[in-house]
Amino acid sequence: DAKTTQPPSMDCAEGRAANLPCNHSTISGNEYVYWYRQIHSQGPQYIIHGLKNNETNEMASLIITEDRKSSTLILPHATLRDTAVYYCIVRAPLNTGTASKLTFGTGTRLQVTL
Amino acid sequence: DGGITQSPKYLFRKEGQNVTLSCEQNLNHDAMYWYRQDPGQGLRLIYYSQIVNDFQKGDIAEGYSVSREKKESFPLTVTSAQKNPTAFYLCASLTGDGYTFGSGTRLTVV
């Protein structure tokens, strides 16, 4: 699985959009981009994933650049409860025969403030 | 509700004792994983299993052992050979849509 690079920390005011970047310049054509978040002392929670099109769900939006070398997770109206560590991961589909063991880096620690 | 159950949430053991962490899932997922997390660090893979009766070492398997006798269960044993066992342990299962994690077990060895 390709490696990702994220800033170690970011701040965001409550009610504003939080834009979390991720670089994955070595991503392969069949690798998906996944985002998870981990609130302190809990298991990571799935947020969203995508291949090349932008994706949106009830939690967030995912913008993937045309060359797929980077992406941005957008929390449109951040709340205090969104304070967490956000992990960006890339991986191939399960049916490719790879082990699909994901590598979690240190992520971005998002602090939402009043 | 379907999910992954890890128990107990907090566990204390004396140095030199083996301890087994439980992980049960009712999601019918084939692949299961154990990760370790230290303060301020990312997740490091200990062991994973893609199917019953089969498992592979991850990046930091030394001092740990696992079994996968049933699809639903993937227990992790932290042996006395593990030099720094105090950590937060996370179990996960995987389908095409991604990982589902348990709530974790915080192990403290004194």
Side-chain angles (χ1 to χ4, degrees):
Chain A
D1 294 332
K3 189 175 177 180
T4 62
T5 304
Q6 299 176 253
S9 64
M10 292 183 65
D11 292 331
C12 179
E14 190 177 31
R16 296 293 191 108
N19 298 300
L20 290 87
C22 179
N23 286 321
H24 30 80
S25 58
T26 61
I27 192 169
S28 300
N30 66 346
E31 286 184 317
Y32 285 76
V33 179
Y34 279 77
W35 282 84
Y36 289 81
R37 74 178 183 185
Q38 186 177 25
I39 296 170
H40 183 62
S41 294
Q42 297 181 22
Q45 173 192 23
Y46 165 83
I47 301 173
I48 199 167
H49 74 282
L51 184 62
K52 53 184 177 182
N53 296 323
N54 298 337
E55 301 288 343
T56 295
N57 63 21
E58 64 277 5
M59 288 182 70
S61 295
L62 174 60
I63 308 297
I64 302 174
T65 57
E66 194 168 338
D67 64 6
R68 302 207 330 118
K69 293 185 177 183
S70 65
S71 60
T72 301
L73 178 75
I74 301 173
L75 307 179
H77 305 287
T79 71
L80 296 177
R81 286 181 293 183
D82 291 322
T83 293
V85 177
Y86 288 77
Y87 296 98
C88 168
I89 299 151
V90 296
R91 75 163 178 93
L94 282 179
N95 60 6
T96 60
T98 64
S100 285
K101 51 186 177 82
L102 302 187
T103 299
F104 286 74
T106 52
T108 296
R109 184 172 297 276
L110 175 68
Q111 180 68 52
V112 180
T113 57
L114 291 171
Chain B
D1 282 356
I4 294 186
T5 301
Q6 289 187 245
S7 61
K9 190 168 179 65
Y10 298 95
L11 189 56
F12 295 86
R13 278 294 182 271
K14 290 184 179 180
E15 194 172 342
Q17 290 181 332
N18 291 355
V19 60
T20 297
L21 281 60
S22 169
C23 178
E24 302 283 328
Q25 56 109 347
N26 60 3
L27 300 165
N28 201 34
H29 291 170
D30 286 313
M32 297 186 73
Y33 301 77
W34 274 105
Y35 285 91
R36 168 185 172 136
Q37 189 174 36
D38 294 286
Q41 303 296 313
L43 280 66
R44 292 187 290 167
L45 181 64
I46 304 172
Y47 267 98
Y48 63 100
S49 167
Q50 293 184 279
I51 198 167
V52 174
N53 292 323
D54 184 59
F55 47 84
Q56 287 81 39
K57 293 181 179 180
D59 301 318
I60 55 164
E62 186 176 350
Y64 299 97
S65 66
V66 293
S67 63
R68 187 84 187 277
E69 297 177 1
K70 298 185 300 181
K71 190 175 188 177
E72 301 80 19
S73 180
F74 190 40
L76 173 75
T77 297
V78 184
T79 75
S80 56
Q82 168 50 233
K83 292 182 172 51
N84 296 299
T86 294
F88 186 50
Y89 291 88
L90 285 159
C91 179
S93 67
L94 181 67
T95 66
D97 290 335
Y99 271 137
T100 299
F101 281 89
S103 56
T105 292
R106 188 167 299 279
L107 173 65
T108 302
V109 175
V110 296

